[in-house]
Amino acid sequence: MSVRRVMGIETEYGIAVPGQPQANPMAASGDVVTTYARAHGLRAAHGAWDYSDEHPLIDARGFEVPRSRADLSQLTDVEDPTLANVVLANGARLYVDHAHPEYSSPEVTSPRDAVVWDRAGELVMREVVERLAERPPGINLYKNNTDGKGSSYGTHENFLVSRRTPFERIIAGLTPFFVARQVMCGAGRVGIGQESEHTGYQISSRSDFFEAPVGLETTFKRPIINTRDEPHADPDIWRRLHVIIGDANQADVANLVKTGSTSLVLSLIEADAIDRRLEVLHPVEALKVISHDPTCTATVRMRDGRDLTAVQILTEYLEMATALVEREGSDPATDEVLTHWERLLGLLAHDPMDAAADIDWVAKLNLLERYRQRDGMQWGDPRLAAIDIQFSDVRADKGIFHTLERAGRITRLTTDDEVRAAVSTPPADTRAWLRGGTVERLGEHVVSASWDSLVLRLPRAGRIARVSMLDPLAHGRDETETLLSAGDVDDLVAGLGA
Amino acid sequence: MAQEQTRPERSGGGDEGPADEGTQVAAQNAARDEDVDSVLDEIDGVLESNAEEFVKGFVQKGGQ
């Protein structure tokens, strides 16, 4: 069993125009995208999105919501001419999603690569902020998920899962895991309740915004298990599990364990190897109970009558994953995830504060508690809320997480060099290589692009060709680099047989 | 942190005796706290000067 599978992370960034809280966030987000695109010679028209394979209303439970019954926010498959949208040289998508700039990482095949290309997105956003600072008041960006006043915006993970796996089994196998995993990968939040009605600190910034166990929506009635069935791949082979419950991580270990442990639990589900009774009685309520207890000692009631802590639930999953890996064999990527997963559970069971170098919510709480002690602050003190926001500022000199990291207080699994390289280089082992390479080297011929297509204008043939990329593991470096480096779009399309 | 709550049992053996462990943890905690203080000064230098206004001004539209 391996942790390796096709995956990726999408991050909506918080956005603020200093001194202008009423500034139009869609216009500001558009500025972010177009500023980056222009600086890199990626005109928006070159990267226009191909929506022909998008089906946001198909539900994995086996039906399609009629358009007339859908919320406007669910219609993500139509071009909005006011919204900027660009494919980057690394195969990522940078665009305006609702009222936020979003970086959707290219598809990768390991949790470690997911961390690297997610961090590359931070550098993209940091560069934009630096460029926009030259036009005061500039625009600031935050890798967080709530403003603490009732609004939440998402960080989503995507995992391809075998279509043979019944969706009901995914719901049953994943729900207790999602209720519990926040203790390993929550980003922390000052304030309790969607509008911070109560003072205090909680583990996850997203948990208070989840209102349903299962559903198709992502902007309201948010469900623990999202049912959007839009694989961006051959639908006979794959489903794409769209995970909307999760915080934006800055800490490498938390981010690695978030995607890695989830991938392993999906492998357990695919193998039908969940052999323990793990069903949380009231998952939506349990999510909040766990999030609101930074001591990690709160228990939630299971259907079989047991009362378990999040760490105990996760330990059951870890034991099942370890057993299956021992039976089926492992690889270095899997071993790395299992090692950190086990280590985090040990730290959390002993004293969560021991994980201050590895988990965002612990790092933040550790810092806030020192401020509280030093300056005698109560949880309602606005300075603590300010630190919470600034913790996620993407600027190297303003972001408090970056200060901690520079001080050597955060465990690094990635290097600055590899993250910098990932800003302009796609992963070599997925179709992102062809997408990013084409946009970078043959950009003037790109009519539109999407996760699974490239629409190209061929000057010699005098026609438009659509290159279909339904297999995420095809069109990587080995297959396409020779064609790409020749730099001729007609030859490229001919060589690809499109 | 609530001190009096019981910790969940650790999976696997090899724990040290409770007294030893308690002393060791207290020492670790003290070292950790001192360590954090050394970066507080640096962070003080970058914090927004008017926290209340900054927090009030951080208003987002909802997202996915």
Side-chain angles (χ1 to χ4, degrees):
Chain A
M1 183 174 87
S2 175
V3 76
R4 301 187 69 92
R5 72 170 66 238
V6 175
M7 61 179 78
I9 301 174
E10 324 167 1
T11 309
E12 293 176 45
Y13 282 74
I15 184 163
V17 179
Q20 299 180 15
Q22 301 306 321
N24 181 331
M26 290 169 101
S29 298
D31 275 351
V32 167
V33 175
T34 52
T35 297
Y36 190 84
R38 216 173 285 134
H40 292 266
L42 303 161
R43 283 191 288 125
H46 288 169
W49 200 249
D50 174 12
Y51 288 91
S52 53
D53 279 338
E54 303 225 346
H55 308 283
L57 300 177
I58 295 183
D59 194 296
R61 290 165 294 184
F63 54 88
E64 180 163 6
V65 174
R67 289 189 90 80
S68 57
R69 295 231 323 264
D71 187 84
L72 207 56
S73 67
Q74 291 176 278
L75 301 179
T76 53
D77 56 345
V78 283
E79 181 82 60
D80 181 339
T82 64
L83 297 188
N85 188 350
V86 67
V87 174
L88 307 185
N90 70 357
R93 181 187 188 193
L94 179 66
Y95 70 120
V96 181
D97 194 1
H98 298 284
H100 301 269
E102 172 165 331
Y103 168 89
S104 291
S105 83
E107 50 281 76
V108 297
T109 61
S110 74
R112 203 176 181 292
D113 281 353
V115 175
V116 170
W117 269 273
D118 181 51
R119 281 190 81 125
E122 295 177 27
L123 294 191
V124 167
M125 295 303 186
R126 181 180 294 174
E127 184 190 318
V128 178
V129 170
E130 283 166 4
R131 289 182 182 280
L132 289 168
E134 291 162 14
R135 292 191 261 139
I139 292 175
N140 292 335
L141 297 171
Y142 299 84
K143 197 182 184 192
N144 67 3
N145 298 104
T146 180
D147 62 3
K149 302 173 186 70
S151 284
S152 182
Y153 30 103
T155 297
H156 301 173
E157 303 140 67
N158 296 294
F159 301 91
L160 284 196
V161 181
S162 163
R163 177 65 65 173
R164 286 195 301 271
T165 311
F167 198 72
E168 290 303 318
R169 206 159 83 202
I170 294 175
I171 296 173
L174 269 184
T175 302
F177 178 72
F178 280 167
V179 168
R181 79 169 186 170
Q182 54 183 321
V183 298
M184 303 192 293
C185 52
R189 177 184 161 198
V190 173
I192 314 277
Q194 292 191 0
E195 294 175 17
S196 304
E197 303 91 296
H198 309 287
T199 58
Y201 185 81
Q202 62 174 314
I203 287 172
S204 163
S205 56
R206 286 279 276 175
S207 286
D208 285 347
F209 295 91
F210 281 75
E211 298 173 333
V214 184
L216 184 61
E217 299 82 7
T218 56
T219 56
F220 59 103
K221 283 191 291 180
R222 291 188 183 86
I224 294 170
I225 303 284
N226 183 262
T227 56
R228 176 184 283 205
D229 190 358
E230 191 184 39
H232 300 312
D234 186 337
D236 291 333
I237 301 173
W238 300 111
R239 59 168 86 252
R240 175 178 61 121
L241 183 76
H242 188 48
V243 178
I244 69 165
I245 187 165
D247 293 359
N249 288 110
Q250 297 183 90
D252 282 356
V253 173
N255 216 7
L256 178 95
V257 172
K258 175 172 75 177
T259 49
S261 62
T262 304
S263 180
L264 286 169
V265 172
L266 287 171
S267 296
L268 285 171
I269 294 167
E270 285 173 315
D272 204 8
I274 304 274
D275 54 8
R276 304 187 188 189
R277 289 217 55 187
L278 287 172
E279 195 181 345
V280 177
L281 198 54
H282 301 295
V284 176
E285 292 76 9
L287 196 61
K288 295 167 179 56
V289 168
I290 289 170
S291 184
H292 297 172
D293 172 39
T295 70
C296 294
T297 55
T299 59
V300 295
R301 176 60 55 91
M302 309 299 281
R303 190 165 289 282
D304 65 6
R306 289 185 295 168
D307 292 311
L308 298 184
T309 65
V311 173
Q312 287 170 327
I313 293 172
L314 294 169
T315 301
E316 301 244 1
Y317 279 102
L318 173 65
E319 287 170 2
M320 288 189 286
T322 305
L324 191 61
V325 165
E326 279 169 5
R327 279 202 301 279
E328 295 194 349
S330 192
D331 55 41
T334 306
D335 292 339
E336 183 183 26
V337 167
L338 284 173
T339 301
H340 285 293
W341 186 359
E342 184 173 15
R343 189 171 64 81
L344 288 192
L345 292 185
L347 297 175
L348 290 169
H350 178 260
D351 178 353
M353 298 309 276
D354 290 344
D358 301 301
I359 303 178
D360 308 66
W361 75 262
V362 185
K364 193 190 287 179
L365 177 58
N366 191 32
L367 186 69
L368 292 169
E369 287 290 10
R370 291 307 292 168
Y371 268 100
R372 274 160 46 76
Q373 283 166 23
R374 191 190 71 179
D375 299 346
M377 295 184 209
Q378 300 297 309
W379 275 114
D381 193 306
R383 284 173 293 176
L384 298 179
I387 292 169
D388 188 11
I389 296 168
Q390 246 188 284
F391 198 80
S392 64
D393 192 317
V394 301
R395 291 174 291 179
D397 57 338
K398 282 283 187 179
I400 293 172
F401 178 84
H402 306 300
T403 308
L404 293 178
E405 204 169 58
R406 264 199 311 279
R409 305 184 53 79
I410 303 290
T411 309
R412 279 298 294 267
L413 303 176
T414 56
T415 66
D416 287 342
D417 284 347
E418 66 184 324
V419 174
R420 247 192 317 272
V423 173
S424 52
T425 313
D429 54 357
T430 69
R431 63 191 173 190
W433 189 267
L434 178 61
R435 183 188 312 117
T438 303
V439 162
E440 190 186 16
R441 294 181 241 190
L442 298 164
E444 77 241 53
H445 304 291
V446 178
V447 177
S448 66
S450 74
W451 299 116
D452 53 20
S453 70
L454 281 168
V455 180
L456 304 171
R457 188 175 287 113
L458 307 186
R460 283 209 310 280
R463 68 179 176 102
I464 303 275
R466 186 173 190 277
V467 179
S468 176
M469 304 187 293
L470 278 179
D471 180 358
L473 296 173
H475 297 117
R477 181 169 60 192
D478 290 350
E479 284 173 62
T480 63
E481 184 52 24
T482 309
L483 285 168
L484 270 173
S485 56
D488 184 289
V489 70
D490 279 82
D491 290 349
L492 172 70
V493 169
L496 293 169
Chain B
M1 300 265 98
Q3 304 290 325
E4 52 287 304
Q5 302 205 42
T6 41
R7 298 276 173 211
E9 285 179 18
R10 302 177 73 170
S11 59
D15 282 352
E16 296 161 77
D20 280 359
E21 192 177 66
T23 317
Q24 197 188 327
V25 169
Q28 275 171 1
N29 286 348
R32 197 167 54 200
D33 292 348
E34 218 167 279
D35 213 16
V36 184
D37 285 341
S38 67
V39 290
L40 286 195
D41 292 342
E42 192 186 339
I43 292 170
D44 284 336
V46 301
L47 286 180
E48 295 290 338
S49 49
N50 189 338
E52 192 158 8
E53 196 184 329
F54 173 65
V55 171
K56 211 184 282 175
F58 188 75
V59 183
Q60 302 292 301
K61 281 264 167 64
Q64 298 216 352

